Amino acid sequence: MPAPTEPDHDVTVQLSATGQPPVRDGAPPDRVISVLFGTGLEEWRRGWRSSPGPGPSREAIVSVSDTTRGATATTQVVPGQRLAYTMLDASATLDQVAEAVTTHVDDAEGPAPSIIVDDIAPVVAERGVPATRSFVAALRGLAEVTDIVVGCSYRPEVAADVRSLFDPTEDVGRVDHPVAGAFDRLRQDDPTTFGYVRRHWSEARDGVEQCTRNYPQSRQVHAALSDPETTPRTLGAALSGLVRLDVLDTWGETVGPTRYDLTAYDPDRMWLIGGVLSAPAPDADTNERSTADGDD
């Protein structure tokens, strides 16, 4: 696989649990290199017609989709449509996919192209996490590239692998998943608790994952943190919000302070909450955060 060069481009993951990942959303780039793992070439090209904008002025496609596989590394150029495409067969490795992308980047004239990956989920399922991580790293390291958008058809069987590949607050640009609706309901029904979750999600995740007790109180979860920003009370408020979001549960057999049932902890749902937080709703009330901040 091509060794990453000095650039380290951001990757924006567009996640969807309800259909095709919305990788075309936003202002369409002038020039784009599309990498197809889950979409046929013709289907992909037709999709630009229903996209928010007119589509790219020039496009290069690297197709590794089952529906369009042909001879290994066969490249065709269609001048009238300002299109070039490379077809890879079933034996192609991710190294070869990255090399094909690199070739199109090197051949690009004019403004630097963007890269779009239609769906990383089949790659993770078929090739495994280490190979997928190396492939994404190779894309990040390409010179003369503007941005990289990666689609992900999120489903339970790939959830843990996707969680290990991408940071939810740095990489995820959109979450089309039922958890986003639950998060919106919490914001509307209880903006104060929503504010605590939004501000303290990271420490709540770290505390839960580092705590060695199965049924701790918030102060015991807090004690698992090093140099925390939260107090036991503010962390407890965030944990109560995560209970309402079905990330964890409470242990009912107590008459004292609330104990949290960490045996019911769902790390994949916690990751999704972090992804939703990375792209907050545009109409989010900024007073919600200040309410929580003032209580610290």
Side-chain angles (χ1 to χ4, degrees):
M1 187 168 293
T5 54
E6 185 64 25
D8 186 12
H9 301 286
D10 291 337
V11 167
T12 301
V13 178
Q14 303 284 56
L15 184 149
S16 176
T18 59
Q20 288 188 337
V23 289
R24 305 176 199 265
D25 287 6
D30 180 59
R31 297 167 185 264
V32 64
I33 298 172
S34 302
V35 186
L36 309 183
F37 291 105
T39 315
L41 190 149
E42 293 301 326
E43 177 188 359
W44 175 259
R45 289 288 289 174
R46 288 194 301 269
W48 286 114
R49 302 172 191 169
S50 57
S51 65
S57 60
R58 293 181 181 273
E59 182 175 23
I61 296 175
V62 177
S63 178
V64 203
S65 168
D66 284 328
T67 61
T68 55
R69 284 173 176 162
T72 302
T74 298
T75 299
Q76 302 290 333
V77 178
V78 187
Q81 298 181 30
R82 298 187 174 183
L83 167 68
Y85 58 91
T86 299
M87 313 285 281
L88 299 176
D89 69 11
S91 66
T93 65
L94 289 179
D95 286 6
Q96 290 173 307
V97 177
E99 289 167 1
V101 173
T102 301
T103 297
H104 284 297
V105 171
D106 293 342
D107 290 346
E109 298 178 357
S114 298
I115 295 177
I116 295 176
V117 178
D118 69 334
D119 195 352
I120 204 71
V123 184
V124 175
E126 296 173 12
R127 314 294 183 101
V129 171
T132 305
R133 181 178 289 112
S134 296
F135 173 69
V136 174
L139 297 185
R140 288 184 191 269
L142 287 172
E144 302 302 326
V145 168
T146 55
D147 57 329
I148 302 169
V149 178
V150 175
C152 178
S153 293
Y154 190 85
R155 52 188 190 272
E157 57 266 33
V158 299
D161 291 340
V162 171
R163 173 163 50 89
S164 72
L165 285 168
F166 301 107
D167 185 293
T169 59
E170 294 184 3
D171 297 331
V172 177
R174 174 170 172 172
V175 176
D176 181 9
H177 186 279
V179 76
F183 201 65
D184 285 341
R185 288 190 294 274
L186 178 63
R187 180 177 60 194
Q188 295 166 8
D189 298 343
D190 190 346
T192 299
T193 299
F194 168 82
Y196 282 115
V197 174
R198 179 168 60 182
R199 182 176 180 190
H200 301 307
W201 171 87
S202 179
E203 283 199 3
R205 177 196 59 181
D206 293 346
V208 167
E209 294 184 353
Q210 294 170 20
C211 184
T212 58
R213 297 172 180 263
N214 287 336
Y215 306 102
Q217 298 173 10
S218 62
R219 65 178 177 82
Q220 293 166 327
V221 176
H222 188 266
L225 295 168
S226 59
D227 193 24
E229 175 187 330
T230 56
T231 65
R233 186 183 65 79
T234 56
L235 182 64
L239 292 173
S240 69
L242 293 171
V243 169
R244 293 176 59 178
L245 292 168
D246 295 324
V247 174
L248 62 156
D249 206 347
T250 55
W251 187 45
E253 300 177 17
T254 179
V255 294
T258 300
R259 289 185 177 272
Y260 296 94
D261 181 0
L262 302 193
T263 67
Y265 174 57
D266 186 340
D268 296 328
R269 196 167 179 88
M270 179 72 93
W271 185 93
L272 286 166
I273 294 295
V276 173
L277 284 168
S278 72
D283 59 346
D285 186 355
T286 55
N287 289 329
E288 295 157 0
R289 179 169 56 187
S290 61
T291 299
D293 293 351
D295 286 341
D296 284 354

